[in-house]
């Protein structure tokens, strides 16, 4: 199938082959871009440009990467509520949901859905990755869809420009300049599934300065769960989030301007209970940031900017939990790290037999014989293994040291006559509170040295710090120093090279260099072939690399250990992991073309990515064994087409074919179930084939957009759920009267299939989800 797509790709290129004379005529009128931070584009206005890939403003035909650009008009036409919903329109990008912290997951081609760590996400140049426990929490990004000017998605490794977290690509969100949003904008949305959004935004100016203030609140009830029906909700994953943001642009002189942005955000995210919770461990979040950017134009050919920001994240997550008293016995802490499966049997499985009033006499007798034999040192490891296998059907590999630890724990539970206290529960309060801060300073310099050569280079310093009693036993930090450069060289009239790289030095991981080499062969001024070779890394975050992770349960109820506060036996300590950078080597051959006579824009990419040292294990309290040894080869084709076939209608078509092959590393410490899960996790979010087609009609003060999503071989590990299909429709109507512009709208999406999104409970009990909108601009 890949071969068929490659042939199709070759036919497309052949159809656009042109003569050298035409090429020379086109390029004779071409002036290279000369600026990096400001306007002044010397090309015709209809030539698309991109800003993100090389940190340079470049015509799309010269960009050294595959890139998708979504403009404000498309965001408005699609009517999406969130950035993850917008990413569904990007070829090769899959949107799902993690199964732990109620956060949406976005993957490019293939990646674990549990934590989103492999895509860099920027808002006006600020990375929104969490500082210490690297992740992107989409609800915590204080940006309104109405304030977005464009979103550029670099589809492929881009650590050469943005560092380690730009492993699979970059999502760069660029907001509108306040000068372009003058006036007041009020919006309200209400729908089923608990959707209730509101927005108030005001932009004004003072002399040559412009500013914008935005207030927004978003809420929805999430999925319904597999046991619900008729719109009922039995799956606790709702969210309520609000923020206030300000953007101020101050022109100091004709050559210098200062932009600064700030925001404060708060919210509540429902988190489902785990096996030990007696309450709901919901998250209360408080975030804020302040960012300033000073831009100076030394000359027409030389620009620089100095950017600095501070962002803070305070997450409060508290709950009440119950577990067996023996699970808080201090003697089990070290044993868990030595033999985790055996320790879980001692601390959880055996106590459950004593706690269960329905346990039969034979089972209790077997448990008493086993516990008594271990406590009195009358059983050998081999005898214990055989007793467990005969009576419970489970297999363990034990040493005498394992029995010695269990003997102490069982002895502590002995009441003088029997071991019934093993069934005792102890309850108390625990938390997963985290405070994270980031300080980041970056200087960037852009120079046009000659008409054929320009460069962008810079340095940056970042401090990520995190304070958590649960995850780190206090405060830890990581300092990162970066040096980057990219050179664009017009070697021939029709041949452009981009060469760049970034060197990173940080406290917690080894130094790394990420290079990129790209060549763009210009067939015409707006058509090109590109060949890109790039390498990138992803640095393990502080929780992956240096965990000091345990749960302290405070205010325990009466227990035979006489503990007021207890440490749950599952734990992780520093020095137990030796993780390397995740690595990727990517090669792509692409075609980009804009055909003005057809108002058509086309991008096709054929690629092969080799990924190694992947950390595929879930980073959780019970994940004792974490390794960076998974390998994955991904190859396939991406395509996107944007066709304005007349003044009132445009068509968007994007899709991908993804062939991912996962090869596990050492699985000797994993059981069969864990090995099977690990083999699936990197492909769980991906479809082999994906398409979305969207048609928009712009009428007289009204608009309609129809979209169809189709994924095949999606989440198809047991051949029972091969498809994910849905329709979307967005209708709008506006009026204009005496400077006021009221608007109403209807958004509806229909799920064709009843299949889950990723995990079994991530389903809706209704197939039709809708919302109504109303607003006014003046």
């Amino acid at each position: 199938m890949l071969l068929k797509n490659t042939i199709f790709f070759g036919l497309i290129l052949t159809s656009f082959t042109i003569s050298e004379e035409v090429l020379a005529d086109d390029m004779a009128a071409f002036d290279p871009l000369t600026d990096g931070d400001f306007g002044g584009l010397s090309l015709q206005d209809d030539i698309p440009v991109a800003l993100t890939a090389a940190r340079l403003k470049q015509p799309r035909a010269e960009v050294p990467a595959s890139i998708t650009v979504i403009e404000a008009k498309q965001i408005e036409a699609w009517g999406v509520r969130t950035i993850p919903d917008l990413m569904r329109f990007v070829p090769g990008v899959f949107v799902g949901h993690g199964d732990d912290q109620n956060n949406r997951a976005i993957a490019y081609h293939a990646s674990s859905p549990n934590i989103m760590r492999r895509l860099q996400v920027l808002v006006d140049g600020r990375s929104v990755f969490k500082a210490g426990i690297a992740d992107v929490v989409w609800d915590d990004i204080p940006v309104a869809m109405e304030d977005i000017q464009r979103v550029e998605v670099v589809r492929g490794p881009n650590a050469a420009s943005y560092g380690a977290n730009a492993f699979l690509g970059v999502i760069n969100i660029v907001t509108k300049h306040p000068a372009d949003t003058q006036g007041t904008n009020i919006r309200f949305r209400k729908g089923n599934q608990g959707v209730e959004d509101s927005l108030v935004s005001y932009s004004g100016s003072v002399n040559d300065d412009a500013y914008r203030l935005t207030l927004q609140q978003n809420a929805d009830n999430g999925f319904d769960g597999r046991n619900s029906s008729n719109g009922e909700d039995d799956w606790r994953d709702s969210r309520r989030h609000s923020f206030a943001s300000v953007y101020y642009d101050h022109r100091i002189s004709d050559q210098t301007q200062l932009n600064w942005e700030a925001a404060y955000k708060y919210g509540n995210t429902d988190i489902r209970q785990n096996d030990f919770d007696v309450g709901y461990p919901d998250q209360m979040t408080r975030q804020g940031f302040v960012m300033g950017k000073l831009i100076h134009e030394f000359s027409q050919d030389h620009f620089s900017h100095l950017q600095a920001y501070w962002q803070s994240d305070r997450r409060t997550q508290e709950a009440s939990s119950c577990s067996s008293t023996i699970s808080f016995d201090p003697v089990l802490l070290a044993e868990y790290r030595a033999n985790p499966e055996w320790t879980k049997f001692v601390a959880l499985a055996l106590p459950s037999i004593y706690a269960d009033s329905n346990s039969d006499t034979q089972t209790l007798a077997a448990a008493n014989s086993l516990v008594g034999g271990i406590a009195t040192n009358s059983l050998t490891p081999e005898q214990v293994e055989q007793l467990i296998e005969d009576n419970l059907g489970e297999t363990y590999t034990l040493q005498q040291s394992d029995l010695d630890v269990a003997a102490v724990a069982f002895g502590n539970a002995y009441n003088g006559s029997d071991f019934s206290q093993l069934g005792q529960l102890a309850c108390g309060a625990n938390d997963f509170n985290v405070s994270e801060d980031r300080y980041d300073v970056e200087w960037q310099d852009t120079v046009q040295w000659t008409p054929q050569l320009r460069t962008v280079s810079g340095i940056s310093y970042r401090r990520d710090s995190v304070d958590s009693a649960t995850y780190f036993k206090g405060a830890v930090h990581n300092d990162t120093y970066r040096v980057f450069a990219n050179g664009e060289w017009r070697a021939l009239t029709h041949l452009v090279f981009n060469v760049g790289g970034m060197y990173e030095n940080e406290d917690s991981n080894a130094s790394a260099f990420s290079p990129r080499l790209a060549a763009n062969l210009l067939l015409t001024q707006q058509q090109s072939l590109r060949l890109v070779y790039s390498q990138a890394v992803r640095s393990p975050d502080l929780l992956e690399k240096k965990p000091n992770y345990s749960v302290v349960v405070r205010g325990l109820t009466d227990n035979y250990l006489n503990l007021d506060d207890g440490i749950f036996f599952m734990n992780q300590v520093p020095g137990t992991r030796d993780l390397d950078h995740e690595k990727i080597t990517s090669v792509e051959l692409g075609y980009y073309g804009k055909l003005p006579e057809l108002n058509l824009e086309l991008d096709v990419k054929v690629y092969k990515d080799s990924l190694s040292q992947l950390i595929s294990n879930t980073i959780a309290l019970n994940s004792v064994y974490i390794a960076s040894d998974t390998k994955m080869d991904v190859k396939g084709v991406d395509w996107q087409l944007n066709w304005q076939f007349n003044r009132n209608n445009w068509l968007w078509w994007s899709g991908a074919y993804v062939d991912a092959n996962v090869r596990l590393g050492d699985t000797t410490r994993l059981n069969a179930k864990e090995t099977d899960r690990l083999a699936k996790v990197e492909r769980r979010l991906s479809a082999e084939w994906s398409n979305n087609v969207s048609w928009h009609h712009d009428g007289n003060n009204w608009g309609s957009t129809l979209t169809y999503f189709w994924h095949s071989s999606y989440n198809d590990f047991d051949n029972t759920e091969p498809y994910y299909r849905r329709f979307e429709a967005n209708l709008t109507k506006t009026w204009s009267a005496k400077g006021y512009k009221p608007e109403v709208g209807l958004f509806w999406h229909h799920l064709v299939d009843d299949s889950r999104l990723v995990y079994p409970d991530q389903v809706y009990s209704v197939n039709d989800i809708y919302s109504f909108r109303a607003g006014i601009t003046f």
Side-chain angles (χ1 to χ4, degrees):
M1 190 60 67
L2 179 60
L3 177 60
K4 292 181 180 179
N5 282 276
T6 305
I7 294 172
F8 170 71
F9 175 62
L11 291 175
I12 292 175
L13 300 184
T14 303
S15 67
F16 292 116
T17 303
I18 58 172
S19 67
E20 287 293 328
E21 290 80 9
V22 174
L23 178 61
D25 290 341
D26 278 342
M27 298 308 298
F30 179 82
D31 283 330
L33 299 178
T34 58
D35 63 332
D37 292 300
F38 289 83
L41 186 62
S42 60
L43 300 175
Q44 295 93 333
D45 291 340
D46 65 345
I47 294 183
V49 298
L51 313 171
T52 304
R55 293 184 177 239
L56 293 167
K57 184 179 289 185
Q58 298 172 303
R60 285 287 304 276
E62 300 180 18
V63 172
S66 299
I67 191 166
T68 296
V69 179
I70 299 175
E71 304 283 359
K73 67 176 184 179
Q74 290 150 343
I75 298 174
E76 182 179 359
W78 288 322
V80 295
R81 295 180 58 233
T82 66
I83 297 168
D85 288 336
L86 187 63
M87 291 299 103
R88 297 182 188 275
F89 294 88
V90 180
V93 171
F94 302 101
V95 180
H97 222 82
D99 197 36
D100 44 11
Q101 295 296 302
N102 188 12
N103 183 37
R104 279 156 291 189
I106 295 179
Y108 179 55
H109 289 155
S111 188
S112 169
N114 292 314
I115 297 182
M116 218 219 71
R117 288 187 165 116
R118 294 172 181 162
L119 286 170
Q120 177 63 274
V121 181
L122 307 170
V123 179
D124 291 335
R126 177 179 66 92
S127 173
V128 296
F129 262 90
K130 298 298 182 183
I133 304 175
D135 191 11
V136 175
V137 179
W138 298 98
D139 292 329
D140 292 344
I141 301 177
V143 61
M145 301 301 293
E146 291 82 357
D147 287 342
I148 295 176
Q149 177 63 41
R150 58 169 21 196
V151 178
E152 295 189 1
V153 182
V154 179
R155 295 179 285 110
N158 204 11
S161 293
Y162 295 100
N165 286 115
F167 185 72
L168 295 178
V170 177
I171 300 172
N172 185 21
I173 302 164
V174 181
T175 62
K176 297 174 182 176
H177 193 279
D180 299 326
T181 58
Q182 295 291 290
T184 302
N185 187 11
I186 301 174
R187 293 288 184 271
F188 179 77
R189 183 192 299 246
K190 180 75 172 178
N192 64 345
Q193 304 304 120
V195 170
E196 188 170 324
D197 305 336
S198 57
L199 167 80
V200 177
S201 180
Y202 174 75
S203 298
S205 60
V206 178
N207 298 323
D208 292 333
D209 298 347
Y211 61 89
R212 178 176 62 245
L213 174 65
T214 298
L215 307 174
Q216 178 175 282
Q217 177 174 302
N218 282 5
D220 65 68
N221 290 341
F223 297 104
D224 296 328
R226 65 182 133 178
N227 298 319
S228 60
S229 61
N230 299 322
E232 298 173 352
D233 187 357
D234 72 345
W235 185 240
R236 189 178 174 83
D237 64 343
S238 66
R239 54 180 64 83
R240 302 288 185 274
H241 292 269
S242 304
F243 72 82
S245 66
V246 62
Y247 186 129
Y248 195 93
D249 175 71
H250 173 57
R251 185 163 293 276
I252 299 173
S253 68
D254 291 340
Q255 291 77 36
T256 308
Q257 71 182 61
L258 174 65
N259 300 329
W260 69 271
E261 301 178 49
Y264 174 75
K265 181 261 168 191
Y266 67 94
N268 180 82
T269 300
D270 288 350
I271 305 295
R272 64 184 177 91
Q273 292 176 307
N274 64 33
D275 295 337
F276 306 101
D277 291 330
V278 295
Y280 293 106
D282 297 341
Q283 290 182 4
M284 297 292 294
T285 56
R286 301 290 185 272
Q287 290 97 12
F289 81 90
V290 177
M291 181 175 74
K293 185 174 183 179
L294 182 67
I295 307 170
H296 183 72
E297 177 184 0
F298 296 97
S299 68
Q300 183 180 357
D301 299 325
H302 186 192
F303 307 90
S304 290
H305 79 234
L306 179 64
Q307 173 181 287
Y309 65 86
W310 163 74
Q311 60 190 36
S312 179
D313 181 359
R314 303 290 181 263
R315 184 182 74 191
T316 302
Q317 185 177 358
E318 299 180 345
S320 297
S321 302
C322 292
S323 186
S324 60
T325 295
I326 193 176
S327 67
F328 299 106
D329 196 319
V331 301
L332 297 182
L333 292 172
E335 178 65 12
Y336 177 71
R337 298 192 294 274
N339 194 334
E341 295 303 319
W342 166 247
T343 311
K344 285 189 285 186
F345 177 77
V346 170
L348 300 177
L350 272 176
S352 69
I353 295 174
Y354 287 92
D356 187 358
S357 59
N358 295 319
S359 295
D360 57 71
T361 303
Q362 182 179 354
T363 302
L364 278 173
N368 279 321
S369 176
L370 178 65
V371 171
I374 293 174
T376 58
N377 294 314
S378 59
L379 293 174
T380 66
E382 292 76 14
Q383 291 172 323
V384 172
E385 292 172 2
Q386 192 62 50
L387 279 172
I388 296 174
E389 185 172 358
D390 291 343
N391 290 279
L392 300 175
E394 298 182 13
T395 302
Y396 293 93
T397 301
L398 302 175
Q399 306 294 326
Q400 184 59 47
S401 58
D402 298 321
L403 300 190
D404 292 342
V405 171
V408 174
F410 293 154
N412 292 335
Y414 186 65
N415 63 9
S417 60
D418 59 38
F419 295 95
S420 60
Q421 288 189 133
L422 284 174
Q424 183 185 79
L425 291 179
C427 301
N430 62 279
D431 69 71
F432 294 87
N433 298 341
V434 180
S435 296
E436 297 181 82
D437 290 276
R438 169 175 293 155
Y439 302 89
D440 190 289
V441 181
E442 176 185 277
W443 172 79
Q444 176 179 305
D445 190 53
T446 306
V447 181
Q448 182 85 43
W449 299 95
T450 70
Q452 291 76 36
L453 177 65
R454 62 176 174 157
T455 62
V456 58
S457 59
I459 58 175
S460 71
Y461 164 75
R462 172 181 295 174
R463 164 160 288 198
D464 291 330
S465 61
V466 56
D467 189 346
S468 174
T470 298
Y471 293 113
F472 299 103
K473 298 295 184 292
V476 293
H477 70 268
N478 181 47
D479 291 338
T480 304
Y481 303 86
R482 292 171 171 167
V483 179
F484 61 88
N486 185 83
E488 180 195 79
W489 176 41
R490 191 172 302 277
L492 299 170
T493 306
H494 56 279
L495 183 61
V496 179
F497 289 103
N498 277 267
V499 181
M502 176 173 287
Y503 174 79
E504 297 177 277
N505 181 278
E506 56 177 314
D507 292 346
S508 299
N509 297 287
S511 300
F513 177 70
S514 300
R516 177 178 56 205
L517 173 63
N520 291 63
L521 177 64
L522 300 176
L523 306 176
T524 70
Q525 187 175 340
Q526 298 192 59
Q527 294 185 63
S528 68
L529 293 175
R530 64 180 178 274
L531 179 63
V532 183
Y533 172 86
S534 59
Q535 292 182 341
V537 300
R538 185 188 75 82
S539 301
D541 68 20
L542 289 169
L543 186 60
E544 290 173 290
K545 195 69 179 284
K546 298 181 177 180
N548 198 349
Y549 190 0
S550 62
V551 176
V552 177
V553 182
R554 303 176 301 276
L556 287 172
T557 54
D558 290 342
N559 58 87
Y560 65 77
L561 293 172
N562 296 316
L563 296 174
D564 292 324
D565 300 335
I567 302 177
F568 188 62
F569 72 95
M570 293 182 183
N571 68 102
Q572 298 163 15
V573 297
T576 56
R577 297 177 184 168
D578 184 20
L579 302 180
D580 294 317
H581 289 97
E582 294 186 328
K583 295 183 178 181
I584 182 173
T585 298
S586 176
V587 179
E588 71 169 74
L589 173 64
Y591 165 80
Y592 171 81
K594 181 173 183 182
L595 310 178
E597 65 277 9
L598 298 177
N599 287 323
L600 185 147
E601 193 174 12
L602 176 67
D603 187 279
V604 182
K605 165 186 173 179
V606 178
Y607 65 91
K608 181 177 181 180
D609 297 339
S610 298
L611 297 83
S612 61
Q613 299 181 180
L614 298 181
I615 304 169
S616 299
N617 312 72
T618 302
I619 310 300
L621 180 62
N622 61 349
S623 301
V624 177
Y625 178 64
I626 304 292
S628 52
D629 59 1
T630 300
K631 297 180 180 180
M632 181 165 58
D633 293 325
V634 186
K635 58 185 178 181
V637 184
D638 289 356
W639 61 87
Q640 63 181 41
L641 178 147
N642 189 5
W643 182 23
Q644 183 87 40
F645 51 91
N646 61 40
R647 194 167 69 94
N648 301 105
N649 295 274
W650 55 258
L651 180 74
W652 178 285
W653 174 34
S654 66
Y657 166 75
V658 177
D659 179 10
N661 177 34
V662 177
R663 304 188 306 280
L664 298 181
D666 182 11
T667 60
T668 56
R669 298 181 62 178
L670 304 177
N671 58 37
K673 183 178 180 180
E674 290 170 331
T675 301
D676 181 64
R677 182 201 62 80
L678 196 61
K680 296 176 180 178
V681 68
E682 295 289 355
R683 297 180 291 118
R684 187 177 294 277
L685 197 57
S686 304
E688 183 180 14
W689 287 97
S690 60
N691 280 271
N692 75 73
V693 180
S694 185
W695 167 59
H696 173 74
H697 174 75
D698 187 3
N700 184 18
N701 293 323
W702 69 277
S704 65
T705 307
L706 302 177
T707 303
Y708 177 62
F709 296 94
W710 175 76
H711 293 177
S712 69
S713 299
Y714 178 84
N715 200 15
D716 185 22
F717 300 114
D718 54 9
N719 293 315
T720 59
E721 297 175 350
Y723 297 109
Y724 179 83
R725 297 174 294 181
R726 80 189 217 189
F727 290 99
E728 288 186 0
N730 185 51
L731 306 176
T732 59
K733 172 62 179 173
T734 60
W735 297 266
S736 296
K738 297 181 179 180
Y740 292 86
K741 189 177 180 180
E743 175 184 320
V744 295
L746 169 65
F747 177 85
W748 164 74
H749 92 237
H750 172 73
L751 297 171
V752 179
D753 304 296
D754 295 328
S755 59
R756 64 191 184 183
L757 184 60
V758 177
Y759 295 101
D761 280 291
Q762 295 174 350
V763 293
Y764 296 109
S765 59
V766 294
N767 282 24
D768 295 292
I769 300 173
Y770 55 84
S771 61
F772 299 92
R773 303 186 312 278
I776 188 170
T777 302
F778 57 91

